Amino acid sequence: MTTVPHWIGGSPVEAARYFPVVDPAFGKTVRQVAMADTQTVNSAVKMALTAYPTWRDMPPSKRVQVMYRFKMLLERDAEALCKLISEEHGKVLEDAMGELKRGIENVEYACGIPELLKGEYSHNAGPGIDTWSNHQPVGIVAGITPFNFPTMVPLWMFPIAIACGNCFILKPSEQVPSVAIKMAELLEEAGLPAGVFSVVQGDREAADALIEHSKVKALSFVGSTPVAKAIYERGASLGKRVQALGGAKNHAVILPDADLENAANTLIGAAYGSAGERCMAISVVVCVGNQTADVLVDKIAEKAKHLNIGPGTEPGLDMGALVNQAHRDRVADYIGQGESAGAVLRLDGRKHPLVENAPGYFMGATLFDHVTSAMRIYQDEIFGPVLCVVRVDDFDQAIELINAHQYGNGTCLFTRAGEAARRFTDEVEVGMVGINVPLPVPVAFHSFGGWKESLFGDLHAYGPDAVRFYTRRKAVSQRWPTESAQETAQFSFPSH
Ligand code: NAD
């Protein structure tokens, strides 16, 4: 059986311990992934420290030459990368292509780093004094990423970090390790010097070693909220810069004036795409008024019944398998909990024929109506193809409901009323908002991040915030006195 190695110092590195990588569509181990220990992490950091001074001092315009070539190589190998994503994650090929394209946007953004790092300059900030601020790299930085976007989430991080002059160590999810190595190979082919980008495969042991290492100066984490919070707290206590993005429960509010046919069409994609394993998936629909709910729920139930489900690597499907058996069972358990709590189960994904008959970890589209905020299926992130409909009387209640939820990643509103839309964007306590846009994932030249329990730290991922996160400001004030100038001692604080 083939193995997926680490990538350290520009070469693949094998390990003493391995973990099975399972194709979730067939429930079959397809390869084994290396698992890093502290020593592996130490050697990646050592290689990064060796590469760092030369990479840091290289002009940004030269550094981005690598990124231009990397983008072309990602596009050249897109099909092979998507096949690997689909095989290890379970998502359908078209969805894998979507995540790769959104990931490549970040490489394109990183190609603009010479412009983004220009800094700020004030001539004559004081008498004969010029002041400028520049952005210097942080040093050795690390990224710990989740299973659900094996290329896109790492691409949120390392292209910008590297283009800013840092050396980057990626610890991908042990469930989807292969594309990280493919990207390392492509970076090498693009001309990236050895040690600037490393991959340490593994689980918590590898993550902890990165967090604890004194030379790792900044950590970007994306994953579940309990881990995000723990990593943020530990990293910050060690004096590191940390951004930790967590889980979500994203609400779509439907006002009575919305085009319900269009809303239903876009909502089934946003709720069931990638089998609901997206941090921006819509998992709650808040219908304002019973009439809106009655019509919309019927439409969603009818459409969701006909979704094509199967192994993600087969063409033309809507939904693939969930990532592993434990997760599929957990989703099934939530459906049982929803039923017991009294929600009306309009569509039961457990009854899909693939759940019983296929060897993989499938779950059909599930729809609950009459869900209340007291129910676990409403409160928790299920991360599966389960959509909950909550009925409210008016728009105020819809906003209150969202603002009371622990998560604040994404939300959207379906309406034709500009006034309501404006109020929604102003008042809703959520980091990313869509108006008639169900998955408001910002483009690469904006930044991505939620509020409340969906993000720990100050700066969001990718875009302008990533440039700030992966650089340190240095403000320089400079004066060149004339030779004849008579300096006198100044004891008051300089104020001019
Ligand atoms: P996870 O938290 O289980 O794992 C994420 C990463 O952390 C993996 O690399 C894993 O190996 C590592 N890890 C796991 N436990 C750890 C521990 N105790 N200490 C240190 N590292 C640990 O998340 P997941 O199941 O891979 O991904 C799904 C979660 O990610 C969902 O909650 C989803 O909402 C979230 N997510 C959030 C965003 C976002 O932008 N907010 C994006 C994608 C996914």
Side-chain angles (χ1 to χ4, degrees), residues 145-148 171 174 207 221-224 245-247 279 381 383 448:
T145 53
F147 80 82
N148 68 321
K171 197 219 72 70
E174 64 277 31
F221 172 87
V222 177
S224 58
L245 283 69
C279 66
E381 179 185 48
F383 221 54
F448 178 107

Side-chain angles (χ1 to χ4, degrees), residues 44 113 131 204 237 303 319 332 336 355 359 371 373 385 387 391 450 463 469:
I113 277 293
T131 294
R204 181 178 183 167
S237 76
K303 290 171 198 292
M319 223 166 86
V355 177
V371 173
S373 59
L387 183 60
R391 295 169 176 236
F469 185 77

Side-chain angles (χ1 to χ4, degrees), residues 76-86 93 97 179 182:
R76 182 196 70 187
D77 289 357
E79 273 186 30
L81 286 163
C82 291
K83 192 165 168 289
L84 269 179
I85 295 172
S86 181
L93 283 173
M97 192 58 86
V179 284
K182 291 287 168 216

Side-chain angles (χ1 to χ4, degrees), residues 3-17:
T3 57
V4 189
H6 309 296
W7 183 270
I8 296 171
S11 309
V13 172
E14 294 298 336
R17 180 167 74 97

Side-chain angles (χ1 to χ4, degrees), residues 144 146 153 156-157 219-229 231-232 242-248 279 409 432 447-450 452-457 459-462:
I144 299 169
V153 171
W156 285 358
M157 302 173 183
L219 284 163
S220 297
F221 172 87
V222 177
S224 58
T225 285
V227 183
K229 196 170 185 178
I231 286 183
Y232 178 77
V242 189
Q243 53 176 188
L245 283 69
C279 66
N409 214 38
M432 292 168 283
S447 296
F448 178 107
K452 300 186 274 188
E453 296 284 298
S454 294
L455 186 142
F456 303 90
L459 292 170
H460 289 193
Y462 68 76

